[in-house]
Amino acid sequence: MLLLTGATGLVGSALLPRLLAEGEPVRCLVRDPRRLGAQRVRVQIALGDLTDPPSFRNALRGVHTVVHLAASIRDQPRGSIEELNGIATWRMVEAAERQGVERFVFFSVLGASTHHRTRLLRAKALAERAVREAKLRTIVFAPSIVYAPGDPWLRLLERMSWLPLMPVSGRGHAHFQPIWAEDVADCVVAALRADAAVVAVDDLPAPGSAVARDRDAARRARYELAGPETLSHSEMVHVALRSLGRVRPLAHVPTPVVSRGLRLVERAMGPSAFATWDEAELMESSMTCARGCADAQVLGVRPQRMAAVLGGC
């Protein structure tokens, strides 16, 4: 049995059909099963969320693998970014160890660091440390920005594209290697297969042998997932605009103005705010890796260009 959190999210909604196609029995930890759509009749349902640790214990019964995708890039009424990304992951890892789970798959972010300027990447770094120190086989994915047609960020850009000028937070110089959610899901499935193949070796390898080193590497596997091109924030906005068939000049709004404005919006609108400062700040922080899409290619996946996925170019 595999437990999937974040099944209704950007990566989860692409990954779940692939797991089911593999014949994997899947249990989903969700607040509202209706959000799973037609897939809800094909999976086991565990009611709960990241703010409810007792629900972890129930969800983990009989589970051999956890794929932990659930996260939040903004504060929620029942938990902060730090609680929902850092503390919740630490608690889930502890619960998985107690329940005898064999393998824990976690999604971090490229560039996560305890000293990062953004709250999310600091929280992800602490969560990744908890996963790395777990007494389990672990697979960590650290992607650059993940996108899919119709995702919340692209929907926001579409709404703003009706303005005569397209507002962009800061100078738009932060660089990303955007990767399509479908390509990310393919990487996860390939990594799970690779891990299973290594574990399936029956003969006990001699210490220091190639097989032993492979097993040790598989026990703490980490993949940095990036698309095939490096784009600035401004360039990604232009790609999105072209996919919509619209041409708009960019209006770069000074960071202090964006920060004050979005904090006021968040106070006024709460969780329904169209954007928060924490989200905008992420788009001012580069997320790239020197190896580009090499890790994805090792897994047999060739990520597509953003323009090819969105169209219009």
Side-chain angles (χ1 to χ4, degrees):
M1 176 66 67
L2 180 148
L3 175 66
L4 177 63
T5 75
T8 61
L10 190 58
V11 175
S13 58
L15 178 60
L16 180 55
R18 287 167 168 79
L19 294 175
L20 294 172
E22 293 278 306
E24 183 79 53
V26 177
R27 181 181 299 150
C28 296
L29 179 66
V30 292
R31 287 193 304 269
D32 183 0
R34 293 173 297 181
R35 295 186 60 197
L36 289 169
Q39 303 288 7
R40 68 181 180 275
V41 300
R42 303 180 61 195
V43 301
Q44 291 188 17
I45 302 294
L47 295 177
D49 60 35
L50 297 180
T51 65
D52 182 18
S55 70
F56 300 171
R57 183 174 60 252
N58 296 327
L60 286 164
R61 286 177 180 156
V63 166
H64 63 74
T65 297
V66 174
V67 179
H68 182 40
L69 305 178
S72 180
I73 60 175
R74 62 166 66 182
D75 292 329
Q76 302 291 340
R78 295 183 61 188
S80 66
I81 288 173
E82 291 78 9
E83 291 167 329
L84 297 171
N85 295 283
I87 296 174
T89 300
W90 170 67
R91 287 173 172 165
M92 182 163 286
V93 167
E94 283 203 325
E97 288 178 323
R98 288 195 298 269
Q99 292 288 339
V101 170
E102 300 172 11
R103 180 172 57 180
F104 197 99
V105 181
F106 174 65
F107 263 69
S108 186
V109 183
L110 268 180
S113 162
T114 54
H115 303 293
H116 201 274
R117 61 180 281 191
T118 65
R119 295 169 62 198
L120 176 68
L121 269 69
R122 292 198 300 270
K124 284 289 189 180
L126 292 172
E128 188 172 340
R129 179 188 299 172
V131 172
R132 188 169 60 247
E133 294 174 353
K135 297 180 179 66
L136 306 166
R137 296 203 319 277
T138 62
I139 303 174
V140 174
F141 293 95
S144 184
I145 188 169
V146 180
Y147 70 93
D151 71 30
W153 178 64
L154 289 171
R155 286 202 306 270
L156 177 61
L157 290 182
E158 182 177 8
R159 290 197 296 270
M160 292 194 300
S161 71
W162 291 106
L163 299 170
L165 298 172
M166 172 63 81
V168 174
S169 176
R171 295 177 296 173
H173 289 173
H175 284 85
F176 305 88
Q177 293 161 315
I179 183 167
W180 188 22
E182 299 287 337
D183 289 332
V184 172
D186 284 337
C187 288
V188 176
V189 172
L192 291 173
R193 286 176 184 161
D195 176 76
V198 171
V199 172
V201 176
D202 292 327
D203 295 332
L204 185 64
S209 68
V211 173
R213 290 194 295 271
D214 286 345
R215 280 191 173 180
D216 290 341
R219 188 173 178 80
R220 291 285 183 267
R222 189 177 191 275
Y223 301 97
E224 295 187 341
L225 301 183
E229 56 189 350
T230 300
L231 301 174
S232 70
H233 182 193
S234 295
E235 289 169 336
M236 289 196 302
V237 172
H238 280 304
V239 171
L241 286 171
R242 286 195 293 271
S243 74
L244 297 168
R246 294 170 193 158
V247 177
R248 298 287 186 274
L250 304 188
H252 294 278
V253 185
T255 295
V257 175
V258 176
S259 175
R260 286 193 292 269
L262 288 180
R263 290 182 195 280
L264 288 173
V265 168
E266 194 171 3
R267 287 195 200 102
M269 301 180 65
S272 62
F274 66 88
T276 69
W277 165 238
D278 292 301
E279 293 168 339
E281 191 176 28
L282 287 172
M283 301 309 298
E284 296 190 19
S285 303
S286 294
M287 299 179 194
T288 62
C289 72
R291 297 195 305 277
C293 55
D295 282 5
Q297 291 175 342
V298 164
L299 293 169
V301 179
R302 290 190 172 275
Q304 298 191 48
R305 294 172 54 249
M306 189 177 190
V309 174
L310 299 183
C313 296

